[in-house]
Amino acid sequence: MRILLTEPIAAAGMDLLRAAGEVHVAGVTDPAALAAGPLATADALVVRSSPVTAAMLEAAPRLRVVGRHGAGLDGIDLAAAERLGIPVVSTPGANAESVAEFVLLAALTLARQLPAAVAALAGGGFPAGRSLPSSVVAAGLTGTMLAGRTLGLVGLGAIGRGVAARALGLGMTVLAFDVAAVVPPPGVRLVPLDELLRSSDVVSLHVPQTPQTVGLIGAAALATMRPGALLVNTARAGVVDGSAVLAALDAGRLRGYAVDVFAPEPPAPGDPLLHHPRVLATPHMAAMTHDALDAMAVAVARGVLGYLGKGRSL
Ligand SMILES: NC(=O)c1ccc[n+]([C@@H]2O[C@H](COP(=O)([O-])OP(=O)(O)OC[C@H]3O[C@@H](n4cnc5c(N)ncnc54)[C@H](O)[C@@H]3O)[C@@H](O)[C@H]2O)c1
């Protein structure tokens, strides 16, 4: 049995796969390169965040399962997989805690203007003869707390819930909007999207990218948000209209934007989102902790082996 990985995963998952079959790491993510060779003999395919196209699946006559290391299946041609009868497994929830911690980190970083403060200190931007704290105030680097403020979660799944628990611990009021009939955890109030946008000091996005969520946060949604609000996007680039965000930042409506996801990835070096002083742009790293990488690797290996009929003894 041949298990093809586009890129390596954490050792805990690699070990499980190696115990079950012959593991090959392609070391490429380009669909055409994968379809041209390595997929021809693969019984299973494991990808991280790279695409799985119809052409890839059609080039893999032996393929019995696709494993996605992570959450979010937007990069996988699910219609083609269904047409070809190839199941797709992912690792829902395995990285939720890691992303949830990152969301709070990003919100606090924006709220406290941390990158500007760190750069000012390193650049000798504070005068001698004056206390540093008062220089911080004079430099306009005063921040705001999250305690006592309102967080709006768009999407109340695994990550949204993780963020809610942490935000409640910080003393925030937590609102959420979800299309599914979810039962909110204690302390979280479900509201319509409009009300969430109008009432939140921090809006954080936790929906998958689907035809319904593409462009969900565009000019109209941004105009509905509280002046001075912060927006955090660890979901997917397509959920937010980046140009509208830049316009809202420049108009002084939006105070800050934290973005971890781009289209394409990596973003072009000239992408204005990477260079705006009030944008915290990070390289799709919200789930990249050792803890989450181990959890995702084990979960995707178990999922794939389950479909290959080797999972029962795990
Ligand atoms: N930046 C990162 O590293 C990273 C890591 C993991 C996940 N993600 C992204 O975060 C997303 C959410 O992850 P999760 O684990 O919480 O997923 P999840 O499936 O547990 O939760 C998603 C929630 O969104 C809701 N939803 C779907 N469509 C909606 C809509 N149109 N409006 C409102 N709610 C809607 C669903 O009902 C569900 O409750 C993933 O799909 C992925 O795109 C990013």
Side-chain angles (χ1 to χ4, degrees), residues 70-74 92-93 95-96 99 154-160 177-180 182 205-210 212-213 216 234-236 260-261 284-288:
L73 296 173
D74 50 287
N95 59 21
V99 178
V154 182
L156 191 60
I159 297 172
F177 165 71
D178 200 296
V179 278
V182 294
L205 308 175
H206 303 293
V207 288
Q209 181 164 316
T210 65
Q212 291 72 40
T213 62
L216 186 68
T234 58
R236 283 291 179 266
D260 190 46
V261 281
H284 203 147
M285 63 183 292
M288 295 302 104

Side-chain angles (χ1 to χ4, degrees), residues 159-174:
I159 297 172
R161 283 166 195 273
V163 177
R166 286 157 181 80
L168 289 169
L170 286 177
M172 299 188 84
T173 297
V174 181

Side-chain angles (χ1 to χ4, degrees), residues 20-81:
E22 182 201 331
V23 173
H24 176 68
V25 179
V28 291
T29 56
D30 174 48
L34 290 161
L39 277 164
T41 53
D43 296 289
L45 169 67
V46 176
V47 297
R48 294 185 66 143
S49 293
S50 56
V52 177
T53 64
M56 284 170 63
L57 298 173
E58 282 156 5
R62 286 172 48 171
L63 201 62
R64 283 191 277 154
V65 60
V66 172
R68 153 82 168 108
H69 175 280
L73 296 173
D74 50 287
I76 298 179
D77 190 331
L78 294 175

Side-chain angles (χ1 to χ4, degrees), residues 39-303:
L39 277 164
T41 53
D43 296 289
L45 169 67
V46 176
V47 297
R48 294 185 66 143
S49 293
S50 56
V52 177
T53 64
M56 284 170 63
L57 298 173
E58 282 156 5
R62 286 172 48 171
L63 201 62
R64 283 191 277 154
V65 60
V66 172
R68 153 82 168 108
H69 175 280
L73 296 173
D74 50 287
I76 298 179
D77 190 331
L78 294 175
E82 192 176 342
R83 171 169 52 81
L84 296 165
I86 302 169
V88 177
V89 296
S90 63
T91 62
N95 59 21
E97 304 267 288
S98 178
V99 178
E101 283 191 5
F102 188 88
V103 168
L104 270 301
L105 170 68
L108 285 164
T109 299
L110 289 178
R112 304 301 284 266
Q113 302 194 61
L114 209 51
V118 170
L121 185 62
F126 297 112
R130 184 172 190 171
S131 78
L132 268 179
S134 75
S135 294
V136 164
V137 176
L141 292 168
T142 317
T144 53
M145 291 177 28
L146 295 186
R149 293 199 161 73
T150 299
L151 170 70
L153 298 167
V154 182
L156 191 60
I159 297 172
R161 283 166 195 273
V163 177
R166 286 157 181 80
L168 289 169
L170 286 177
M172 299 188 84
T173 297
V174 181
L175 306 177
F177 165 71
D178 200 296
V179 278
V182 294
V183 177
V188 177
R189 190 160 62 89
L190 287 178
V191 293
L193 181 59
D194 257 30
E195 183 180 339
L196 181 147
L197 295 172
R198 260 189 282 110
S199 313
S200 299
D201 302 292
V202 182
V203 172
S204 190
L205 308 175
H206 303 293
V207 288
Q209 181 164 316
T210 65
Q212 291 72 40
T213 62
V214 169
L216 186 68
I217 306 297
L222 288 160
T224 310
M225 284 173 66
R226 274 191 174 173
L230 304 173
L231 178 64
V232 180
N233 182 11
T234 58
R236 283 291 179 266
V239 177
V240 172
D241 177 344
S243 312
V245 163
L246 288 167
L249 286 166
D250 291 338
R253 271 202 68 79
L254 197 62
R255 182 153 60 106
Y257 179 47
V259 56
D260 190 46
V261 281
F262 300 88
E265 292 189 349
D271 185 333
L273 284 173
L274 305 182
H275 306 289
H276 195 285
R278 281 183 289 125
V279 175
L280 177 70
T282 51
H284 203 147
M285 63 183 292
M288 295 302 104
T289 57
H290 292 296
D291 318 73
L293 287 167
D294 284 348
M296 287 188 282
V298 168
V300 76
R302 286 186 173 157

